[in-house]
Amino acid sequence: MKYYINTYGCQMNIHDSEKIAGILEELNYHACSKQEEADIVVFNTCCIRETAEQKIYGHIGMLKKLKQAHPNMLVVVCGCMSQQEGVADKIRTSYPFVDIILGTSNLNSLKQAVLDAQRRKCCVKVDFELYNEEDFVQSRTSYPNAWVNINYGCNNFCTYCIVPYVRGRERSRPLADILTEVKKLLADGYKEITLLGQNVNSYGHDLPNGEDFSALLKSIAELDGKFRLRFMTSHPKDLSQEVIDVIASYPKICDNIHLPVQSGSTEILRRMNRRYTREDYLSLICKIRTKLPNVGITTDIMVGFPGETEQDFEDTLDLVQKARYSSAFCFIYSRRKGTPAYSMENQIPYEVKRERITRLLACQNDVTKQISAEMIGKQFEVLVEGANNHYKNTMCGRTESGRLVNFKCDEQMTGQFVTVLIEQAKSATLWGKIVTEEE
Ligand code: 5AD
Ligand code: SF4
């Protein structure tokens, strides 16, 4: 029997899909590359923006015919979209061929739900449960990198964001459990560990024994062997000097921070409930760069939040130039039902949002080009990640600062550290050649 998983959204979902794959493999399903050939099709969904959601509904709808042709095929919808209020009912009514609907905290019910569905019993479960990572065998797909959850959920309630409603309150995994998982991954040959959380910097606030994010970073970075440690996402209000100092003291922790700013206007940040000002943010960037001169900082930025004036937007453009991000994920604000910003006045017309995002992308592109040009002629240690399927016979990997580099080498070198000389830069993409291989 075969399975096919459609994954939408962020790294959290990519990693959840590895857990889903592990559960299905325990039930003797094998991965296949075409949805049409699958005995079970999973939609691991995202609802952060309306466009993502509409696309997913379209994709689920397209399965109706396939299911008619293969009545024994099972269809699962899980992840953030199904956790939203009323969505499970909507799916039951509009897409009755869906067999299983699970929320973000119900993966521990997947195994039984599949067994029941094989006997034609539907399952809908979208309540918050606590599950143990340790209960799952994961089927990892991202070697040489391994994703590791450290905390789930979010308590920040940014006024535009649906995540706290669909992923629940913050829960941290015990440090000892995370350490056991990481040790096993390193013993299995993984070369890069990426710690995942909606807000990694608040890791441990809910744990009884004072374990915090810097303690976690230290205890992993002190493990033996050559490997890289990364983490995402950091909330600017919680990134402490202590964490910056720990990154600086441990070479295994990459000088690479994803630090979503969202807006460069203090007034918009206030209405987003981000709890920092433009000045706080810029001074944090300054602190980071003082301690970590080679750091790569990336960000998320939104345009068209309700009430955003031309001046607010220009403040964002100005901040982008000052912060010098190596790259930025830029989004058009999307109205999410159930969030405070949904009912704010002065929603921005779509044409204005479009025009602003075009200007923002051009502005960031100029910064990225400048940073890339400065890298030409320099050498960087790169972890070979695998083939870059956009180009023929090309492999790729990342610098410590997180920049993607393309180069030629044998596919078997995946998982090795090499030194690459940067020869060319085409906007965000760097091209180079290997000058030294791992001993
Ligand atoms: N509209 C647009 N972008 C959003 N994000 C979160 N909520 C919304 C929304 N309603 C963006 C933020 C966040 C990233 C993961 O998605 O920039 O950092
Ligand atoms: Fe959403 Fe804000 Fe939480 Fe990030 S910190 S998940 S943007 S509410």
Side-chain angles (χ1 to χ4, degrees):
M1 290 197 295
K2 296 179 191 146
Y3 71 83
Y4 186 89
I5 306 177
N6 296 286
T7 306
Y8 304 86
C10 63
Q11 276 74 16
M12 202 68 81
N13 267 13
I14 295 176
H15 184 41
D16 281 350
S17 286
E18 295 181 329
K19 298 176 199 168
I20 294 168
I23 294 167
L24 296 177
E25 285 172 19
E26 274 197 320
L27 289 167
N28 281 325
Y29 286 90
H30 302 279
C32 67
S33 55
K34 283 199 192 117
Q35 184 163 267
E36 296 70 34
E37 294 170 1
D39 298 285
I40 183 162
V41 175
V42 180
F43 292 89
N44 189 12
T45 61
C46 168
C47 59
I48 198 126
R49 281 167 289 275
E50 196 184 353
T51 39
E53 213 176 53
Q54 280 167 349
K55 189 169 85 184
I56 299 168
Y57 278 125
H59 290 174
I60 299 174
M62 276 167 7
L63 231 70
K64 186 175 174 184
K65 275 204 179 123
L66 198 60
K67 176 101 180 188
Q68 277 164 353
H70 307 277
N72 287 331
M73 186 180 81
L74 300 181
V75 183
V76 184
V77 179
C78 60
C80 294
M81 202 172 98
S82 27
Q83 191 74 52
Q84 274 176 293
E85 215 179 304
V87 166
D89 288 342
K90 176 174 168 178
I91 295 175
R92 295 292 301 138
T93 335
S94 309
Y95 308 93
F97 54 88
V98 172
D99 302 277
I100 299 171
I101 303 171
L102 293 180
T104 52
S105 323
N106 304 114
L107 286 187
N108 51 342
S109 301
L110 179 61
K111 193 171 182 176
Q112 191 55 47
V114 173
L115 292 172
D116 289 346
Q118 287 170 344
R119 289 182 224 104
R120 311 221 164 258
K121 196 169 149 236
C122 287
C123 169
V124 179
K125 206 162 192 210
V126 288
D127 34 272
F128 282 107
E129 295 178 319
L130 273 185
Y131 65 71
N132 265 334
E133 290 278 322
E134 289 64 35
D135 294 344
F136 304 123
V137 181
Q138 306 187 9
S139 176
R140 294 184 181 268
T141 48
S142 55
Y143 178 85
N145 175 64
W147 309 105
V148 174
N149 284 123
I150 64 163
N151 52 3
Y152 314 92
C154 181
N155 290 353
N156 289 314
F157 289 94
C158 300
T159 54
Y160 50 81
C161 186
I162 194 85
V163 169
Y165 306 91
V166 294
R167 291 255 172 199
R169 296 295 65 71
E170 264 175 41
R171 285 101 60 203
S172 302
R173 277 177 82 191
L175 196 147
D177 289 359
I178 298 171
L179 214 51
T180 307
E181 181 176 352
V182 171
K183 281 182 190 161
K184 173 152 194 323
L185 289 164
L186 296 175
D188 287 348
Y190 285 89
K191 296 291 183 267
E192 184 177 80
I193 303 293
T194 306
L195 306 178
L196 284 182
Q198 256 20 282
N199 179 10
V200 287
N201 302 97
S202 63
Y203 170 80
H205 286 189
D206 52 334
L207 292 176
N209 39 7
E211 292 161 342
D212 66 4
F213 187 53
S214 50
L216 175 68
L217 283 178
K218 269 191 224 163
S219 53
I220 298 176
E222 278 165 9
L223 296 174
D224 289 338
K226 180 156 176 67
F227 67 93
R228 283 177 169 180
L229 179 56
R230 297 186 189 277
F231 55 86
M232 67 191 306
T233 293
S234 292
H235 194 303
K237 76 175 166 56
D238 296 318
L239 180 64
S240 64
Q241 184 65 47
E242 197 186 351
V243 167
I244 300 171
D245 293 343
V246 170
I247 302 171
S249 322
Y250 289 86
K252 284 176 188 169
I253 309 177
C254 291
D255 291 0
N256 181 198
I257 303 180
H258 185 60
L259 197 65
V261 65
Q262 312 300 357
S263 168
S265 150
T266 294
E267 173 55 15
I268 295 293
L269 289 169
R270 189 186 64 75
R271 286 198 278 120
M272 286 176 163
N273 191 31
R274 291 292 289 176
R275 287 175 270 177
Y276 53 84
T277 62
R278 165 194 175 84
E279 289 71 31
D280 295 336
Y281 186 91
L282 284 170
S283 87
L284 178 61
I285 294 259
C286 192
K287 274 193 225 164
I288 297 171
R289 292 206 189 275
T290 307
K291 263 280 171 170
L292 309 167
N294 297 318
V295 70
I297 304 177
T298 57
T299 201
D300 295 342
I301 312 177
M302 210 181 292
V303 299
F305 185 79
E308 184 188 67
T309 61
E310 174 62 23
Q311 184 57 52
D312 292 322
F313 173 64
E314 282 175 18
D315 287 349
T316 299
L317 293 182
D318 181 67
L319 183 137
V320 162
Q321 270 151 4
K322 294 200 162 90
R324 292 183 57 76
Y325 298 115
S326 34
S327 66
F329 296 97
C330 302
F331 305 107
I332 287 181
Y333 164 73
S334 168
R335 238 174 139 179
R336 303 283 60 207
K337 261 207 185 94
T339 63
Y342 183 87
S343 33
M344 284 182 187
E345 286 175 0
N346 292 326
Q347 299 283 332
I348 305 294
Y350 184 71
E351 307 75 65
V352 177
K353 290 181 184 170
R354 264 256 62 98
E355 188 251 352
R356 287 185 185 162
I357 194 126
T358 309
R359 285 161 67 197
L360 175 62
L361 289 168
C363 176
Q364 175 56 42
N365 205 15
D366 278 350
V367 178
T368 305
K369 266 192 195 151
Q370 284 167 23
I371 296 178
S372 300
E374 287 162 15
M375 292 172 81
I376 295 175
K378 295 188 183 145
Q379 297 186 2
F380 296 90
E381 186 183 63
V382 166
L383 173 60
V384 183
E385 289 181 9
N388 182 338
N389 294 326
H390 297 293
Y391 306 96
K392 224 174 156 188
N393 300 327
T394 303
M395 299 287 283
C396 63
R398 261 163 231 282
T399 63
E400 181 184 341
S401 67
R403 292 297 308 273
L404 195 73
V405 187
N406 291 323
F407 45 87
K408 305 277 175 215
C409 78
D410 198 316
E411 224 171 308
Q412 302 206 328
M413 285 176 70
T414 300
Q416 283 192 33
F417 288 95
V418 292
T419 305
V420 173
L421 170 72
I422 307 297
E423 296 179 310
Q424 257 192 74
K426 290 184 191 155
S427 187
T429 318
L430 300 167
W431 294 80
K433 72 168 181 215
I434 295 183
V435 287
T436 328
E437 294 178 14
E438 205 174 3
E439 300 193 344

